[in-house]
Amino acid sequence: MRMTGTGIGQGVATGPVARMPEPLATPADVPSTLGVEAEKTRTLESLGRVARALEERGAKAGGTARDVLEAQAMMAEDPTLADSIDDLLGQGKTAERAVSEAFAAFRDQLAAMGGYLGERAADLDDVAQRVIADLLGVPAPGVPERDEPFVLVARDLAPADTALLDLDKVLALVTSDGGPTSHTAILAREKSIVAVVGVLDALSLTDGETVVVDAAVGAVVSEPTEEEVTAARTRIAERAALVDAPATPGALADGTAIPLLANLGSSKAAKAAADGGAEGVGLFRTEFLFLDAGGSAPTIDEQRAHYIELLEAFPGKKVVVRLLDAGADKPLEFLNDAHEENPALGLRGLRALRVSEDILREQLTALAEADKVTSADLWVMAPMVSTVEETTYFVTLAKELGLKTVGVMVEVPSIALLADKVMAEADFASIGTNDLTQYTLAADRLLGSVAAFQDPWHPAVLRLVGEVGAAGARAGKPVGICGEAAADPLLAVVLVGLGATTLSMSPSALADVRASLSRYTLDEARRFADIALAASGAAEARAAVTAAVASRKEN
Ligand code: PEP
Ligand code: MG
């Protein structure tokens, strides 16, 4: 049987399934026999133990995992949660029950916020389970232990589990829940683990049965034939050879240089990306810096230190920093706390920054100061620009504050259609295909029920990319791609054919895209682009280009 979900990366794996144990049962609502004070002490000790254990795991794991686990440790000791647990204990409930109820209420609030914060609800569930297990004196639910490598199948993985996954044992991850921005997906990308998330039927897989997991097409095959297993093994060997190959600069078969850059969310990941062959940074998302700062914007000094750490990892190389993109899937209350019916169409990105121009000015100032003391080639760009007037506003302000190279993200169809006028004002454009697809197809990028529309192969999206590529060529200015589309090895070739001059992606995708580009000339890339543009839908475009590639191989 073939099940489908969202594949993360291009990997393939095959092996026996190991199912993640089901979560603990909800503690019964029976009155405490120990008394309020004894329950309070138990709870406090347990929360502390779990917080310390999470911190320890974080310290051991390092990287993004450490940040995530530290955030979870803070959840365990959150004062608002402690207050509501205390209230429940005061009503005579057991520690287990009070923890369960308080965390569940908090979780529901978080889930209702949707977007980035909504996806953190799973983190909170995990902390609650750990505390309850600790109170009960049973082991915390977690990754099963096996002697042989396995494909881990779970509802969703908590960061505490993904952080310490034994990569020699876990061949692949398959989850029934979770979207492309869930922690499982983010960490799988970072650690290059083969993963398919959001596979609705995943929990029908049983312990020990063999499966083939193909992230490139987002498929999980249960009871595979011998030929399917052999084909998977061949691809695994081919990919291993690819990853081990030296990281040369991105280029087409005819030598046309297409620099391959990294998408980063934290300066801590910068060095690893540089070591992994990234030729620079094509998108540095600054939201995480602001989300981590809690309820207010980080100071100029804090920001400058962070930007310096980033720029120092890429001496002499290009680093494109995106100004804060708050709103919709990345809500930040201090910028916009108004209730909006359609936040993706609301006061977000540059619109929100313009209303709080002091925050925009501070960020630009911190960037200009970091630029002065480092040797990287710093470019800055604004998110969610939708008019030429906004382009002029941003470019003028950023230059006034000392930035040299200033561009805009193309994420809204209006600005792609006016690309000539935009390119006259900006030094460069970078196309965010995630949002450009969302807005072109009018399909919320976070909503599972319309996920099928969120496909950057759609010719309507590609035509807009082509408009920007052509305008860039006419103006002699660079056009980058920094959405997930650039990480799809075949689509990357089409995007170059449409005029993209650089591609930026999760560092784990670089090797596959580098190999794919090296197979085709610029003329071929342009021919594939024409084929995709002529298709009537996303599936047709993908199929037509795949067929063109196959017939080229035969000839
Ligand atoms: C995009 O929209 O394609 C993009 C790169 O930005 P983000 O995914 O952060 O919205
Ligand atoms: Mg975007």
Side-chain angles (χ1 to χ4, degrees), residues 263 283 285 287 322 325 329-330 348 409 411 431-436 445 482-484:
N263 286 356
L283 167 64
R285 292 183 166 101
E287 297 76 63
R322 171 173 80 187
D325 182 22
D329 56 321
K330 317 170 190 91
R348 60 163 298 196
M409 284 191 78
E411 301 179 284
I431 306 178
T433 50
N434 307 337
D435 275 315
L436 186 62
R445 65 191 265 192
C482 64
E484 284 301 310

Side-chain angles (χ1 to χ4, degrees), residues 335-349:
L335 262 185
N336 178 18
D337 62 358
H339 171 76
E340 297 177 337
E341 287 297 332
N342 290 304
L345 304 181
L347 194 65
R348 60 163 298 196

Side-chain angles (χ1 to χ4, degrees), residues 281-354:
V281 178
L283 167 64
F284 183 75
R285 292 183 166 101
T286 52
E287 297 76 63
F288 296 99
L289 183 57
F290 283 70
L291 280 167
D292 289 350
S296 58
T299 62
I300 294 188
D301 287 351
E302 284 165 349
Q303 290 191 53
R304 185 181 48 229
H306 205 87
Y307 301 140
I308 289 175
E309 189 181 345
L310 167 72
L311 296 175
E312 280 180 344
F314 291 92
K317 303 267 178 64
K318 175 163 114 178
V319 175
V320 186
V321 174
R322 171 173 80 187
L323 275 288
L324 180 59
D325 182 22
D329 56 321
K330 317 170 190 91
L332 273 179
E333 275 189 8
F334 63 86
L335 262 185
N336 178 18
D337 62 358
H339 171 76
E340 297 177 337
E341 287 297 332
N342 290 304
L345 304 181
L347 194 65
R348 60 163 298 196
L350 183 61
R351 300 170 186 181
L353 285 174
R354 211 169 170 180

Side-chain angles (χ1 to χ4, degrees), residues 36 40 53 56 96 152 164 337 359 537:
V36 176
K40 279 194 181 173
E56 264 172 42
E96 290 83 350
L152 183 61
L164 290 184
D337 62 358
I359 293 179

Side-chain angles (χ1 to χ4, degrees), residues 124-276:
L124 211 56
D125 283 342
D126 174 67
V127 179
Q129 293 266 315
R130 282 170 197 278
V131 179
I132 296 167
D134 182 81
L135 285 164
L136 292 171
V138 300
V143 178
E145 307 243 316
R146 295 278 194 283
D147 291 335
E148 294 305 316
F150 56 88
V151 172
L152 183 61
V153 177
R155 257 178 221 291
D156 202 359
L157 286 178
D161 300 319
T162 10
L164 290 184
L165 278 186
D166 179 351
L167 297 185
D168 292 332
K169 284 283 162 60
V170 178
L171 298 165
L173 300 175
V174 176
T175 65
S176 60
D177 298 355
T181 53
S182 63
H183 264 305
T184 306
I186 292 171
L187 291 180
R189 243 180 235 121
E190 182 181 303
K191 292 183 179 242
S192 301
I193 306 173
V194 180
V196 183
V197 301
V199 180
L200 295 180
D201 303 324
L203 300 183
S204 66
L205 295 168
T206 51
D207 255 329
E209 72 168 295
T210 299
V211 288
V212 169
V213 183
D214 187 345
V217 294
V220 179
V221 182
S222 64
E223 295 172 17
T225 60
E226 235 170 74
E227 292 80 68
E228 283 172 321
V229 173
T230 312
R233 296 232 161 92
T234 310
R235 279 181 53 205
I236 293 167
E238 282 169 5
R239 278 184 51 79
L242 197 69
V243 171
D244 289 343
T248 49
L252 296 171
D254 56 16
T256 309
I258 307 292
L260 297 177
L261 312 169
N263 286 356
L264 297 179
S266 151
S267 53
K268 297 194 175 62
K271 191 155 177 335
D275 294 346

Side-chain angles (χ1 to χ4, degrees), residues 26 38 53 102 109 111-113 138-139 146 154 172 184 212 222 245 304 340 374 389 465 473-474 490 492 496 509 543:
T26 309
Q109 282 174 21
M113 289 180 197
V138 300
R146 295 278 194 283
T184 306
V212 169
S222 64
R304 185 181 48 229
E340 297 177 337
T374 48
E389 187 274 334
V465 172
R474 281 193 292 270
L490 190 53
V496 168

Side-chain angles (χ1 to χ4, degrees), residues 33-67:
T33 52
L34 300 176
V36 176
E37 285 316 311
E39 294 286 15
K40 279 194 181 173
T41 315
R42 289 180 69 215
T43 315
L44 213 63
E45 286 176 0
S46 188
L47 288 167
R49 263 196 304 275
V50 169
R52 297 297 83 73
L54 285 164
E55 282 165 3
E56 264 172 42
R57 293 182 73 147
K60 225 164 142 189
T64 312
R66 186 186 51 219
D67 299 346

